[in-house]
Amino acid sequence: MDTVILKGKDVSSRIKENLAIQISNLKLKGIIPCLAAIIVGKNPASKLYVNSKAKTFKNMNCDSEIFTLDSDIDEKDLLFLIEKINNDTKFHGILVQLPLPKHLNEEKILEKINPEKDVDGFHPKNKGYLMQGNPSFIPCTPYGCLKILEYYNIDTNGKNIVVIGRSNIVGKPIASLLSQNTKYGNGTVTLCHSRTKNLSDFTKKADIIVAAVGIPHLINKDMIKDGVHIIDVGINRIDDKSKDKGYRVVGDVDFDNVLEKVSSITPVPGGVGVMTVTMLLSNTVKAAFNQIK
Ligand code: NDP
C-alpha cells in the first residue's frame, strides 16, 4: 500500500505563509502579536517547550516574554501576575506551561487567564464554546491534528474514529472536534482510555485513529485494519544507546511495524509536535486581531 506520511512541517509551512501576511497587516497598524509564557519551576522539558515557542514567535516577527517563577511560588502571587498580564495591552496571549507543581490549583490558575487572551484554549469558557460547536480558541495540539486532516483532505465524515486518551488538553478536545457537525468533523467518535477493555476491539474497527496516550508503541499492526489513517500525538523517550543523547523519541504507535498497513500516518517526531507551536502562534495572531476590534 502507498502510505502517505503526514508531515507536520508541510502543514505548518502553509499555515505560517498565511500568518506572515496577517502579522504584516498587524504591523501596519503598529501591533506586534505578543505572548506571555509563564513557567513555574525548573522542569527541563517545560523550559525546552517554552524556549521553542519563543523561537518560533521571533522567527515570525512576533514577540514573547517568558516569566520564570520559583517552584515554591505562592498561588496568590501567580494569580496576581496573571491579573497583571491580563490588564497589560502589550500582551495578546497568555500561556501557563503545564504541569504545575502540586501545591498550585491548576483549574483556579487557568480560570484566572482572561478568556480573550487564553491562546492555549484551556479556560472553562473556551472549553465550553468548543463543546457547543462554536469554538473561540481551540487547544493547540487538537487544533494541529485538525489542520493535518484538513491539509491532507482526510475525510472524517461518518467514519469510525477512535481517540485513545481522554486528557483535557488533548484527547477530549480532539474527540469533541471530530464529532462536531463540520467539514472535518462528523465522525462517529469512540473515546478510549486506561479503563477501556480490549482496546484492539475498538482500534480494529477504526477508519481513523488518534493516539494520545504517552505509552511508546502501544499500537501495533495486529490492532489495526488495512487502510487506516493514524494521527500519533504521543511523544515518548525510549533508551537508544546508538544515539548521542542515549535516547530517541517515538510515538504511541509502532511506526515501522504499522507502516505497510496504513493509508497515512504522522511520524514522531515530524508530525503533530511541529503543529502545536504553529497553532499557538495562530491563536495569538487571532487574539491580537480580536483585541483591536
Ligand atoms: P495524559 O497522561 O494526560 O493522558 C493520557 C491518557 O491516556 C489518559 O486519558 C489515560 O487514561 C490514557 N491511557 C493510559 N494508558 C492507557 C492504555 N493502556 N490504553 C488506553 N488509554 C490509556 O497525557 P496527555 O494527553 O497530556 O498526552 C498524551 C501524549 O501526547 C503524551 O505522550 C504527550 O507527551 C503527548 N503530547 C504531545 C503533544 C504534541 O505537541 N505533539 C502535546 C501534548 C501531549 P485515564 O484517563 O484513564 O488515565
Side-chain angles (χ1 to χ4, degrees), residues 16 51-61 277 281:
K16 280 182 177 166
N51 285 340
S52 119
K53 288 166 185 171
K55 198 171 149 201
T56 302
F57 272 64
K58 189 162 182 254
N59 289 342
M60 291 293 292
N61 300 317
V277 187
L281 182 71

Side-chain angles (χ1 to χ4, degrees), residues 141 164-167 170 193-194 212-215 233-236 272-273 276:
T141 302
I164 318 169
R166 58 176 164 183
S167 71
V170 192
H193 43 77
S194 69
V213 181
I215 298 181
V233 182
I235 298 179
N236 311 293
V272 178
T276 300

Side-chain angles (χ1 to χ4, degrees), residues 23 26 31-35 57 61-64 90 92 284-285 288:
I23 292 163
L26 281 168
I31 290 157
I32 296 176
C34 182
L35 173 76
F57 272 64
N61 300 317
C62 294
D63 283 341
S64 64
K90 178 175 106 177
H92 305 98
T284 308
V285 171

Side-chain angles (χ1 to χ4, degrees), residues 18-291:
N18 189 268
L19 285 175
I21 299 167
Q22 295 183 42
I23 292 163
S24 304
N25 287 340
L26 281 168
K27 203 172 177 190
L28 293 174
K29 297 180 204 293
I31 290 157
I32 296 176
C34 182
L35 173 76
I38 301 175
I39 314 185
V40 184
K42 291 196 167 63
N43 181 335
S46 293
K47 227 175 143 192
L48 204 77
Y49 286 138
V50 169
N51 285 340
S52 119
K53 288 166 185 171
K55 198 171 149 201
T56 302
F57 272 64
K58 189 162 182 254
N59 289 342
M60 291 293 292
N61 300 317
C62 294
D63 283 341
S64 64
E65 202 168 309
I66 301 174
F67 296 83
T68 306
L69 309 175
D70 290 340
S71 57
D72 61 353
I73 187 168
D74 260 11
E75 191 169 277
K76 67 174 178 359
D77 293 335
L78 175 54
L79 293 170
F80 181 75
L81 173 66
I82 295 173
E83 182 65 28
K84 221 172 110 188
I85 302 171
N86 279 342
N87 295 325
D88 188 338
T89 52
K90 178 175 106 177
F91 295 108
H92 305 98
I94 306 175
L95 78 79
V96 176
Q97 188 64 42
L98 302 177
L100 288 169
K102 294 264 179 296
H103 71 283
L104 299 169
N105 181 333
E106 194 175 291
E107 277 174 32
K108 199 168 161 189
I109 284 152
L110 295 177
E111 209 167 330
K112 185 71 181 172
I113 296 173
N114 176 352
E116 307 291 323
K117 296 191 176 186
D118 173 38
V119 287
D120 254 344
F122 296 160
H123 189 283
K125 197 170 168 184
N126 286 322
K127 286 183 189 164
Y129 286 142
L130 178 73
M131 285 302 291
Q132 280 182 334
N134 182 25
S136 174
F137 292 110
I138 302 175
C140 302
T141 302
Y143 200 5
C145 295
L146 205 63
K147 288 287 170 190
I148 290 174
L149 293 169
E150 215 177 286
Y151 180 89
Y152 287 97
N153 196 20
I154 295 172
D155 186 16
T156 53
N157 233 282
K159 304 291 181 194
N160 279 334
I161 303 180
V162 169
V163 176
I164 318 169
R166 58 176 164 183
S167 71
N168 287 329
I169 60 170
V170 192
K172 274 191 217 155
I174 290 179
S176 172
L177 286 165
L178 295 175
S179 55
Q180 283 170 14
N181 187 1
T182 52
K183 183 160 183 213
Y184 291 92
N186 282 323
T188 304
V189 178
T190 306
L191 186 55
C192 298
H193 43 77
S194 69
R195 306 295 177 91
T196 300
K197 293 199 172 86
N198 302 323
L199 182 63
S200 58
D201 286 354
F202 297 92
T203 53
K204 271 179 190 163
K205 290 191 191 116
D207 304 305
I208 299 171
I209 295 173
V210 181
V213 181
I215 298 181
H217 296 167
L218 174 72
I219 307 297
N220 60 48
K221 67 178 178 191
D222 299 329
M223 299 171 72
I224 59 172
K225 69 175 183 183
D226 283 329
V228 64
H229 298 276
I230 298 185
I231 305 286
D232 189 354
V233 182
I235 298 179
N236 311 293
R237 280 183 185 187
I238 57 169
D239 291 342
D240 186 342
K241 298 241 163 22
S242 71
K243 303 281 176 201
D244 290 345
K245 291 177 184 161
Y247 68 85
R248 69 192 156 97
V249 174
V250 300
D252 291 342
V253 179
D254 191 339
F255 185 88
D256 294 330
N257 177 269
V258 302
L259 202 55
E260 64 183 34
K261 220 174 161 183
V262 303
S263 280
S264 70
I265 183 167
T266 55
V268 179
V272 178
V274 197
M275 293 301 299
T276 300
V277 187
T278 304
M279 300 329 293
L280 177 70
L281 182 71
S282 171
N283 279 347
T284 308
V285 171
K286 176 177 164 164
F289 271 110
N290 288 347
Q291 283 161 45

